[in-house]
Amino acid sequence: MTTGFTATTKENTDMAEAGLRDLLEAGVHFGHQTRRWNPNMRRYIFGELDGIHIIDLVQTEALLENARRFAGELASGGGTVLFVGTKKQARSAVKDWADRCKMPYVNQRWLGGLLTNFNTISARISRLHELTSWQEEGKLDLLPTKERMRMQAELAKLEYNLGGVRDMDRLPDAVFVTDLKTEEIAVREAARLRIPIIGLVDTNCDPTPIDYVIPGNDDAIRSCQLVIGTIGAAIDEGAGAWRVQEERRLAEEMERRKREEEERKKREEEEKARVEAEEAAKKAAEEKQVAEQKAQAQASPAAGPVAGQGTPPSSGGEPSTAPATPSEQAADEAAPPEAAAKAEKGESK
Protein backbone atom coordinates (compact mmCIF):
# COMPACT_ATOMS: atom_id res chain seq x y z
CA MET A 1 0.00 0.00 0.00
CA THR A 2 2.83 2.39 0.88
CA THR A 3 4.60 1.68 -2.40
CA GLY A 4 1.53 2.52 -4.44
CA PHE A 5 1.02 5.86 -2.78
CA THR A 6 4.73 6.60 -2.98
CA ALA A 7 4.60 6.12 -6.73
CA THR A 8 1.50 8.30 -6.96
CA THR A 9 3.20 11.03 -5.01
CA LYS A 10 6.33 10.90 -7.14
CA GLU A 11 4.30 11.06 -10.32
CA ASN A 12 2.42 14.09 -9.00
CA THR A 13 5.24 16.16 -7.58
CA ASP A 14 3.30 19.26 -8.59
CA MET A 15 0.28 19.05 -6.32
CA ALA A 16 -1.59 21.71 -8.33
CA GLU A 17 -2.22 19.24 -11.16
CA ALA A 18 -3.97 16.29 -9.48
CA GLY A 19 -3.65 17.07 -5.80
CA LEU A 20 -7.35 17.35 -5.02
CA ARG A 21 -8.11 13.94 -6.42
CA ASP A 22 -5.28 12.29 -4.51
CA LEU A 23 -6.32 14.00 -1.30
CA LEU A 24 -9.94 13.01 -1.78
CA GLU A 25 -9.12 9.37 -2.53
CA ALA A 26 -6.86 9.16 0.53
CA GLY A 27 -9.60 10.50 2.81
CA VAL A 28 -7.61 13.54 3.91
CA HIS A 29 -10.83 15.58 4.12
CA PHE A 30 -12.35 13.60 7.01
CA GLY A 31 -11.99 15.33 10.35
CA HIS A 32 -13.08 14.38 13.85
CA GLN A 33 -16.54 14.48 15.34
CA THR A 34 -17.98 17.93 15.70
CA ARG A 35 -18.01 17.71 19.48
CA ARG A 36 -14.22 17.07 19.56
CA TRP A 37 -13.09 19.97 17.44
CA ASN A 38 -10.71 22.81 18.23
CA PRO A 39 -12.10 26.30 17.50
CA ASN A 40 -8.72 27.39 16.11
CA MET A 41 -9.28 25.00 13.20
CA ARG A 42 -12.48 26.81 12.17
CA ARG A 43 -10.89 28.51 9.13
CA TYR A 44 -9.81 25.15 7.67
CA ILE A 45 -13.22 23.41 7.99
CA PHE A 46 -15.42 23.29 4.92
CA GLY A 47 -18.54 21.94 6.58
CA GLU A 48 -20.16 19.10 8.49
CA LEU A 49 -21.43 15.68 7.39
CA ASP A 50 -23.11 13.16 9.71
CA GLY A 51 -21.59 14.76 12.78
CA ILE A 52 -18.07 14.83 11.29
CA HIS A 53 -16.22 17.93 10.20
CA ILE A 54 -15.11 18.06 6.57
CA ILE A 55 -11.78 19.75 5.91
CA ASP A 56 -11.45 22.19 3.02
CA LEU A 57 -9.20 20.32 0.59
CA VAL A 58 -8.59 23.45 -1.50
CA GLN A 59 -6.75 24.98 1.44
CA THR A 60 -5.10 21.65 2.22
CA GLU A 61 -3.76 21.44 -1.33
CA ALA A 62 -2.28 24.95 -1.23
CA LEU A 63 -0.83 24.54 2.24
CA LEU A 64 0.62 21.12 1.41
CA GLU A 65 2.33 22.62 -1.64
CA ASN A 66 3.70 25.44 0.52
CA ALA A 67 5.07 22.96 3.07
CA ARG A 68 6.47 20.76 0.30
CA ARG A 69 8.28 23.72 -1.25
CA PHE A 70 9.73 24.76 2.10
CA ALA A 71 10.95 21.26 2.90
CA GLY A 72 12.50 20.83 -0.54
CA GLU A 73 14.34 24.17 -0.39
CA LEU A 74 15.57 23.41 3.11
CA ALA A 75 16.90 20.01 2.09
CA SER A 76 18.49 21.38 -1.09
CA GLY A 77 20.48 23.77 1.10
CA GLY A 78 21.84 20.97 3.27
CA GLY A 79 19.24 21.30 6.02
CA THR A 80 18.01 18.47 8.22
CA VAL A 81 14.36 17.58 8.77
CA LEU A 82 13.39 15.39 11.73
CA PHE A 83 10.46 13.06 10.95
CA VAL A 84 8.25 12.40 13.98
CA GLY A 85 5.38 9.91 13.94
CA THR A 86 4.97 7.41 16.76
CA LYS A 87 1.36 6.42 16.12
CA LYS A 88 0.88 3.13 14.31
CA GLN A 89 -0.81 4.75 11.28
CA ALA A 90 2.36 6.73 10.43
CA ARG A 91 5.11 4.63 11.99
CA SER A 92 6.16 2.62 8.95
CA ALA A 93 5.82 5.51 6.48
CA VAL A 94 7.95 7.75 8.68
CA LYS A 95 10.73 5.17 8.88
CA ASP A 96 10.65 4.36 5.16
CA TRP A 97 10.81 7.94 3.96
CA ALA A 98 13.33 9.06 6.57
CA ASP A 99 15.66 6.21 5.61
CA ARG A 100 15.19 7.04 1.96
CA CYS A 101 15.96 10.72 2.53
CA LYS A 102 18.77 9.88 5.00
CA MET A 103 17.10 12.04 7.63
CA PRO A 104 16.66 11.39 11.37
CA TYR A 105 13.32 10.13 12.63
CA VAL A 106 11.42 9.10 15.75
CA ASN A 107 8.74 6.45 15.19
CA GLN A 108 8.64 4.50 18.46
CA ARG A 109 8.77 6.81 21.44
CA TRP A 110 9.66 10.46 21.85
CA LEU A 111 12.38 10.71 24.46
CA GLY A 112 11.77 13.78 26.62
CA GLY A 113 14.49 16.40 26.14
CA LEU A 114 15.55 15.09 22.75
CA LEU A 115 15.75 18.68 21.50
CA THR A 116 15.87 20.87 24.61
CA ASN A 117 18.48 18.69 26.33
CA PHE A 118 20.40 17.64 23.26
CA ASN A 119 23.79 17.59 25.02
CA THR A 120 22.68 14.73 27.27
CA ILE A 121 21.02 12.96 24.36
CA SER A 122 24.28 13.28 22.39
CA ALA A 123 26.09 11.42 25.16
CA ARG A 124 23.53 8.61 24.97
CA ILE A 125 23.90 8.52 21.19
CA SER A 126 27.65 8.13 21.63
CA ARG A 127 26.99 5.26 24.03
CA LEU A 128 24.74 3.67 21.40
CA HIS A 129 27.53 3.83 18.83
CA GLU A 130 29.99 2.39 21.32
CA LEU A 131 27.82 -0.60 22.21
CA THR A 132 26.98 -1.19 18.55
CA SER A 133 30.67 -1.30 17.62
CA TRP A 134 31.38 -3.69 20.48
CA GLN A 135 28.63 -6.00 19.29
CA GLU A 136 29.85 -5.90 15.69
CA GLU A 137 33.43 -6.60 16.75
CA GLY A 138 32.36 -9.46 19.03
CA LYS A 139 33.57 -7.84 22.23
CA LEU A 140 30.24 -8.38 23.99
CA ASP A 141 30.57 -12.15 23.53
CA LEU A 142 33.83 -12.11 25.49
CA LEU A 143 32.24 -10.59 28.59
CA PRO A 144 30.83 -12.59 31.50
CA THR A 145 27.25 -13.69 31.02
CA LYS A 146 25.69 -11.29 33.49
CA GLU A 147 27.56 -8.26 32.20
CA ARG A 148 26.90 -9.24 28.58
CA MET A 149 23.16 -9.53 29.18
CA ARG A 150 23.11 -6.15 30.91
CA MET A 151 24.88 -4.45 28.01
CA GLN A 152 22.69 -6.15 25.44
CA ALA A 153 19.59 -4.93 27.26
CA GLU A 154 21.05 -1.41 27.36
CA LEU A 155 21.80 -1.59 23.64
CA ALA A 156 18.26 -2.75 22.84
CA LYS A 157 16.77 0.09 24.87
CA LEU A 158 18.99 2.72 23.24
CA GLU A 159 18.23 1.32 19.80
CA TYR A 160 14.49 1.49 20.52
CA ASN A 161 14.58 5.08 21.74
CA LEU A 162 17.42 6.61 19.71
CA GLY A 163 17.92 4.31 16.75
CA GLY A 164 16.37 6.78 14.32
CA VAL A 165 18.47 9.74 15.47
CA ARG A 166 21.81 7.93 15.84
CA ASP A 167 23.30 10.02 13.00
CA MET A 168 21.87 13.36 14.15
CA ASP A 169 24.92 15.26 15.39
CA ARG A 170 23.15 18.61 15.76
CA LEU A 171 19.67 20.04 16.21
CA PRO A 172 17.44 19.68 13.12
CA ASP A 173 16.56 22.63 10.95
CA ALA A 174 12.88 21.62 10.87
CA VAL A 175 10.54 19.05 12.41
CA PHE A 176 7.78 17.22 10.53
CA VAL A 177 5.02 15.99 12.87
CA THR A 178 2.07 13.82 11.85
CA ASP A 179 -0.13 14.10 14.97
CA LEU A 180 -0.01 17.08 17.32
CA LYS A 181 -1.89 15.30 20.09
CA THR A 182 0.41 12.28 20.22
CA GLU A 183 3.58 14.33 19.65
CA GLU A 184 2.67 17.16 22.02
CA ILE A 185 6.04 17.06 23.81
CA ALA A 186 7.95 17.15 20.52
CA VAL A 187 5.91 20.14 19.36
CA ARG A 188 6.55 22.00 22.62
CA GLU A 189 10.30 21.38 22.47
CA ALA A 190 10.56 22.47 18.84
CA ALA A 191 8.45 25.57 19.49
CA ARG A 192 10.58 26.43 22.52
CA LEU A 193 13.74 26.28 20.42
CA ARG A 194 11.99 28.13 17.55
CA ILE A 195 12.57 25.27 15.14
CA PRO A 196 10.15 25.44 12.17
CA ILE A 197 7.41 22.81 12.43
CA ILE A 198 5.57 21.14 9.56
CA GLY A 199 2.46 19.48 10.92
CA LEU A 200 -0.45 17.36 9.71
CA VAL A 201 -3.21 18.98 11.76
CA ASP A 202 -6.59 17.38 12.35
CA THR A 203 -9.72 19.22 13.48
CA ASN A 204 -9.19 18.32 17.16
CA CYS A 205 -5.71 19.98 17.34
CA ASP A 206 -4.48 23.52 17.86
CA PRO A 207 -2.53 24.76 14.81
CA THR A 208 -1.13 27.81 16.62
CA PRO A 209 2.45 26.54 17.24
CA ILE A 210 2.76 25.08 13.73
CA ASP A 211 4.65 27.12 11.13
CA TYR A 212 3.46 25.10 8.11
CA VAL A 213 -0.02 23.76 8.75
CA ILE A 214 -1.36 20.90 6.61
CA PRO A 215 -5.06 20.45 7.51
CA GLY A 216 -5.97 16.80 7.14
CA ASN A 217 -6.92 13.48 8.62
CA ASP A 218 -4.15 12.16 10.87
CA ASP A 219 -5.94 8.89 11.81
CA ALA A 220 -6.19 7.20 8.40
CA ILE A 221 -3.19 5.23 7.16
CA ARG A 222 -3.67 6.30 3.56
CA SER A 223 -3.93 9.96 4.53
CA CYS A 224 -0.75 9.81 6.61
CA GLN A 225 1.09 7.96 3.88
CA LEU A 226 0.09 10.49 1.23
CA VAL A 227 1.13 13.54 3.25
CA ILE A 228 4.35 11.92 4.50
CA GLY A 229 5.15 10.73 0.99
CA THR A 230 4.61 14.18 -0.50
CA ILE A 231 6.85 15.91 2.02
CA GLY A 232 9.34 13.04 1.92
CA ALA A 233 9.60 13.14 -1.88
CA ALA A 234 10.40 16.85 -1.81
CA ILE A 235 13.03 16.31 0.88
CA ASP A 236 14.52 13.37 -1.00
CA GLU A 237 14.78 15.38 -4.20
CA GLY A 238 16.32 18.39 -2.46
CA ALA A 239 18.72 16.30 -0.38
CA GLY A 240 19.79 14.35 -3.47
CA ALA A 241 20.58 17.56 -5.33
CA TRP A 242 22.50 18.87 -2.35
CA ARG A 243 24.52 15.66 -2.04
CA VAL A 244 25.48 15.88 -5.71
CA GLN A 245 26.56 19.49 -5.27
CA GLU A 246 28.43 18.60 -2.10
CA GLU A 247 30.27 15.76 -3.82
CA ARG A 248 31.18 18.07 -6.68
CA ARG A 249 32.34 20.72 -4.23
CA LEU A 250 34.44 18.20 -2.30
CA ALA A 251 35.99 16.94 -5.53
CA GLU A 252 36.84 20.51 -6.56
CA GLU A 253 38.22 21.20 -3.09
CA MET A 254 40.41 18.09 -3.24
CA GLU A 255 41.64 19.07 -6.70
CA ARG A 256 42.40 22.59 -5.50
CA ARG A 257 44.30 21.31 -2.48
CA LYS A 258 46.22 18.88 -4.65
CA ARG A 259 47.14 21.67 -7.06
CA GLU A 260 48.20 23.94 -4.21
CA GLU A 261 50.30 21.15 -2.71
CA GLU A 262 52.06 20.58 -6.04
CA GLU A 263 52.71 24.31 -6.43
CA ARG A 264 54.03 24.48 -2.87
CA LYS A 265 56.41 21.57 -3.48
CA LYS A 266 57.58 23.17 -6.71
CA ARG A 267 58.27 26.48 -4.94
CA GLU A 268 60.14 24.66 -2.18
CA GLU A 269 62.28 22.83 -4.73
CA GLU A 270 63.04 26.07 -6.59
CA GLU A 271 63.91 27.82 -3.34
CA LYS A 272 66.13 24.93 -2.31
CA ALA A 273 67.92 24.98 -5.68
CA ARG A 274 68.41 28.76 -5.44
CA VAL A 275 69.85 28.50 -1.92
CA GLU A 276 72.19 25.71 -2.97
CA ALA A 277 73.36 27.75 -5.99
CA GLU A 278 74.01 30.79 -3.80
CA GLU A 279 75.95 28.70 -1.29
CA ALA A 280 78.01 27.12 -4.09
CA ALA A 281 78.79 30.54 -5.59
CA LYS A 282 79.75 31.93 -2.20
CA LYS A 283 82.00 28.97 -1.49
CA ALA A 284 83.68 29.30 -4.91
CA ALA A 285 84.28 33.02 -4.31
CA GLU A 286 85.85 32.32 -0.92
CA GLU A 287 88.11 29.63 -2.39
CA LYS A 288 89.21 31.99 -5.18
CA GLN A 289 89.98 34.76 -2.68
CA VAL A 290 92.07 32.40 -0.55
CA ALA A 291 94.00 31.23 -3.63
CA GLU A 292 94.72 34.84 -4.69
CA GLN A 293 95.96 35.69 -1.22
CA LYS A 294 98.30 32.69 -1.25
CA ALA A 295 99.67 33.58 -4.72
CA GLN A 296 100.23 37.22 -3.70
CA ALA A 297 102.07 36.15 -0.57
CA GLN A 298 104.40 33.88 -2.57
CA ALA A 299 105.13 36.55 -5.24
CA SER A 300 106.01 39.49 -2.86
CA PRO A 301 109.94 40.50 -2.75
CA ALA A 302 112.14 39.91 0.34
CA ALA A 303 112.70 42.84 2.73
CA GLY A 304 116.09 44.89 2.79
CA PRO A 305 118.59 46.21 0.11
CA VAL A 306 119.50 44.21 -2.95
CA ALA A 307 122.87 42.44 -2.93
CA GLY A 308 125.71 44.30 -4.88
CA GLN A 309 124.07 47.72 -4.56
CA GLY A 310 126.36 50.52 -3.23
CA THR A 311 125.80 52.72 -0.22
CA PRO A 312 123.83 55.81 -1.12
CA PRO A 313 125.53 59.23 -0.82
CA SER A 314 125.16 61.22 2.34
CA SER A 315 122.57 63.95 2.58
CA GLY A 316 125.16 66.76 3.09
CA GLY A 317 126.62 66.48 -0.43
CA GLU A 318 130.21 66.05 0.87
CA PRO A 319 132.36 63.33 -0.61
CA SER A 320 132.22 60.21 1.28
CA THR A 321 135.16 59.52 3.54
CA ALA A 322 134.41 55.93 3.81
CA PRO A 323 137.32 53.63 3.17
CA ALA A 324 137.67 52.19 -0.27
CA THR A 325 136.37 48.87 -0.87
CA PRO A 326 138.62 46.03 -1.95
CA SER A 327 137.36 46.36 -5.52
CA GLU A 328 138.32 50.03 -5.67
CA GLN A 329 141.76 49.23 -4.33
CA ALA A 330 142.24 46.59 -6.95
CA ALA A 331 141.23 49.07 -9.66
CA ASP A 332 143.80 51.59 -8.48
CA GLU A 333 146.51 49.02 -8.45
CA ALA A 334 145.65 47.94 -11.93
CA ALA A 335 145.79 51.48 -13.32
CA PRO A 336 148.67 52.10 -15.92
CA PRO A 337 151.91 53.87 -14.91
CA GLU A 338 151.16 56.85 -17.11
CA ALA A 339 148.00 57.56 -15.30
CA ALA A 340 149.80 57.32 -12.01
CA ALA A 341 152.49 59.74 -13.15
CA LYS A 342 149.95 62.29 -14.33
CA ALA A 343 148.29 61.99 -11.03
CA GLU A 344 151.56 62.73 -9.20
CA LYS A 345 152.31 65.82 -11.40
CA GLY A 346 148.96 67.16 -10.70
CA GLU A 347 149.46 66.82 -6.99
CA SER A 348 152.87 68.61 -7.22
CA LYS A 349 151.37 71.58 -8.97
Side-chain angles (χ1 to χ4, degrees), residues 52-96:
I52 297 177
H53 278 133
I54 304 299
I55 299 173
D56 187 1
L57 290 184
V58 175
Q59 295 188 55
T60 301
E61 179 188 15
L63 293 173
L64 180 59
E65 172 62 20
N66 186 32
R68 187 191 69 83
R69 187 181 302 110
F70 166 74
E73 292 176 354
L74 182 64
S76 63
T80 303
V81 180
L82 175 62
F83 286 72
V84 182
T86 59
K87 63 191 305 182
K88 62 181 181 179
Q89 292 91 333
R91 190 172 296 168
S92 60
V94 164
K95 184 180 185 304
D96 293 341

Side-chain angles (χ1 to χ4, degrees), residues 91-337:
R91 190 172 296 168
S92 60
V94 164
K95 184 180 185 304
D96 293 341
W97 277 103
D99 289 338
R100 180 173 179 175
C101 302
K102 296 182 180 180
M103 293 291 174
Y105 66 92
V106 177
N107 71 331
Q108 296 295 337
R109 174 178 174 268
W110 179 267
L111 202 60
L114 179 62
L115 299 179
T116 55
N117 194 17
F118 188 69
N119 291 333
T120 302
I121 298 299
S122 297
R124 302 308 299 162
I125 293 175
S126 300
R127 177 62 174 171
L128 172 61
H129 285 290
E130 182 182 15
L131 292 177
T132 303
S133 64
W134 286 2
Q135 186 180 35
E136 293 175 352
E137 295 172 2
K139 292 183 179 180
L140 292 182
D141 298 333
L142 303 177
L143 298 175
T145 304
K146 190 174 182 179
E147 187 175 359
R148 184 183 71 251
M149 293 178 64
R150 181 178 61 81
M151 288 192 175
Q152 288 177 346
E154 181 182 1
L155 176 60
K157 184 177 180 180
L158 290 173
E159 184 69 32
Y160 179 82
N161 292 325
L162 301 174
V165 296
R166 63 191 311 156
D167 296 327
M168 189 174 69
D169 54 357
R170 60 182 177 86
L171 289 174
D173 299 294
V175 178
F176 175 39
V177 182
T178 56
D179 186 351
L180 303 189
K181 286 286 186 178
T182 306
E183 318 301 343
E184 182 179 1
I185 300 177
V187 172
R188 287 182 180 178
E189 292 188 15
R192 181 178 178 182
L193 297 176
R194 297 182 179 179
I195 299 175
I197 305 174
I198 305 171
L200 176 59
V201 187
D202 210 334
T203 56
N204 65 333
C205 301
D206 184 9
T208 303
I210 307 303
D211 299 279
Y212 296 90
V213 179
I214 305 174
N217 185 1
D218 61 5
D219 294 319
I221 296 178
R222 298 175 63 186
S223 174
C224 293
Q225 288 176 346
L226 177 60
V227 175
I228 295 172
T230 303
I231 301 298
I235 295 174
D236 185 29
E237 182 180 358
W242 179 81
R243 283 192 290 268
V244 171
Q245 295 177 359
E246 189 69 9
E247 291 176 358
R248 185 183 300 112
R249 186 189 66 81
L250 291 176
E252 293 176 354
E253 182 70 15
M254 293 294 292
E255 183 66 23
R256 184 184 65 81
R257 290 184 180 180
K258 183 179 179 180
R259 186 168 56 253
E260 290 179 354
E261 183 67 17
E262 292 177 353
E263 293 177 356
R264 184 184 64 82
K265 290 182 178 180
K266 184 178 179 180
R267 288 195 301 269
E268 289 179 354
E269 292 176 357
E270 292 176 352
E271 182 68 16
K272 184 178 179 181
R274 185 185 64 80
V275 172
E276 291 178 352
E278 290 179 355
E279 291 179 353
K282 184 178 179 181
K283 185 177 181 181
E286 292 177 353
E287 292 177 353
K288 182 178 179 181
Q289 185 178 3
V290 171
E292 290 177 354
Q293 291 177 356
K294 288 182 179 180
Q296 185 177 3
Q298 293 176 358
S300 60
V306 179
Q309 186 177 0
T311 305
S314 61
S315 60
E318 297 179 356
S320 176
T321 58
T325 61
S327 59
E328 292 177 350
Q329 294 178 358
D332 293 340
E333 292 177 355

Side-chain angles (χ1 to χ4, degrees), residues 1-59:
M1 185 179 294
T2 304
T3 306
F5 274 92
T6 299
T8 303
T9 306
K10 291 185 66 177
E11 293 173 0
N12 301 290
T13 52
D14 188 0
M15 296 299 296
E17 294 182 0
L20 285 175
R21 181 177 178 180
D22 292 335
L23 295 173
L24 187 62
E25 291 178 354
V28 179
H29 57 290
F30 291 117
H32 279 272
Q33 296 177 352
T34 55
R35 59 185 176 85
R36 296 178 55 191
W37 77 307
N38 191 305
N40 292 330
M41 285 291 294
R42 185 191 304 275
R43 60 182 179 273
Y44 302 115
I45 296 176
F46 176 77
E48 176 186 347
L49 178 64
D50 296 334
I52 297 177
H53 278 133
I54 304 299
I55 299 173
D56 187 1
L57 290 184
V58 175
Q59 295 188 55

